[in-house]
Amino acid sequence: MNFIEPKDGVLIKYLVQLNETALADLRSKIILHCGEITHYCYESETDPDFTKHYFVKNFKQSFVREYEYDYFYTWGKKQIFCYEYDVYAPTPLTMLIDRLFEGDSSAILELRDPQKEESIQDKLYVQLQEKKDQIISLLGDTTIVDVNRLDQLKNELNFLQEKQKLNCNRSCDLQFYSQVLSCIQLIEITRIPEDHIIRVHSLLEKAHQSITEVQSFFEDSEEKKTGISISQKIIGTRAE
């Protein structure tokens, strides 16, 4: 993976080396300390699918009942279980780590300039107030109250209140940005003056300039400076 950045009038190209073991450990630590927790409790005849979840804790499973079924001349028995567990969601920082693992070097720019996110507690507080306002609005309606809708809103309110308790001690992941950056090493490969880039763009914008003329410009400017022709550099890049 390569990373390119402008600095002091030149474009510098780096080779990015990651301490993947340390990053993976940090990713787990950040999610466990900062990730939003959602508690689930439900009955089902199929096992939960945890492949889409980052972390699951406090898993419990208990037998509820067994029933017989007869579906298009197919008879059998099925068991229903109660599943209960907590899911820890990824944070903005762990999503940047994932991008690094996927080879997206632009994540480095965002790691260097972290943006303060709304805290989990503030976000849940806003959601709770909105839900309470919806209940008040429904009860204040002069027409007949939709009992089913009211029950739904009350259940959603209870869910958010429990979620607020679960997440009352969640930390912000901003404290971990510097540790993540320490796991990234940038090794300079080459640097090109920005005025050379501008001149190349100017040449390419002229329709009458041929590819041969552009290549000649590169070779003249690069060979004078390094003694290495552009064709040799291209061959070396392809070999990499």
Side-chain angles (χ1 to χ4, degrees), residues 114-162:
Q115 303 299 311
K116 184 174 176 56
E117 300 280 340
E118 183 181 28
S119 71
I120 295 173
Q121 292 85 354
D122 289 345
K123 184 177 70 173
L124 289 173
Y125 176 80
V126 171
Q127 292 175 358
L128 275 167
Q129 294 305 119
E130 290 176 348
K131 199 62 61 179
K132 289 177 182 178
D133 290 343
Q134 290 177 18
I135 292 174
I136 292 171
S137 176
L138 185 63
L139 291 174
D141 197 335
T142 55
T143 60
I144 298 176
V145 174
D146 185 340
V147 178
N148 291 332
R149 175 59 177 160
L150 180 60
D151 287 341
Q152 178 188 351
L153 289 173
K154 285 182 177 179
N155 289 334
E156 292 172 354
L157 180 64
N158 291 334
F159 176 80
L160 286 171
Q161 288 172 333
E162 289 299 317

Side-chain angles (χ1 to χ4, degrees), residues 191-235:
R191 54 177 62 200
I192 303 174
E194 287 186 6
D195 63 326
H196 283 207
I197 304 296
I198 294 171
R199 290 166 62 194
V200 171
H201 277 285
S202 176
L203 284 174
L204 292 174
E205 286 172 359
K206 297 176 181 179
H208 66 275
Q209 289 286 355
S210 67
I211 295 176
T212 304
E213 289 174 314
V214 174
Q215 183 176 342
S216 176
F217 163 77
F218 264 108
E219 289 180 344
D220 289 344
S221 59
E222 289 291 320
E223 195 167 4
K224 286 177 183 177
K225 196 170 59 169
T226 64
I228 301 173
S229 70
I230 192 68
S231 57
Q232 288 175 299
K233 295 186 77 172
I234 291 173
I235 292 170

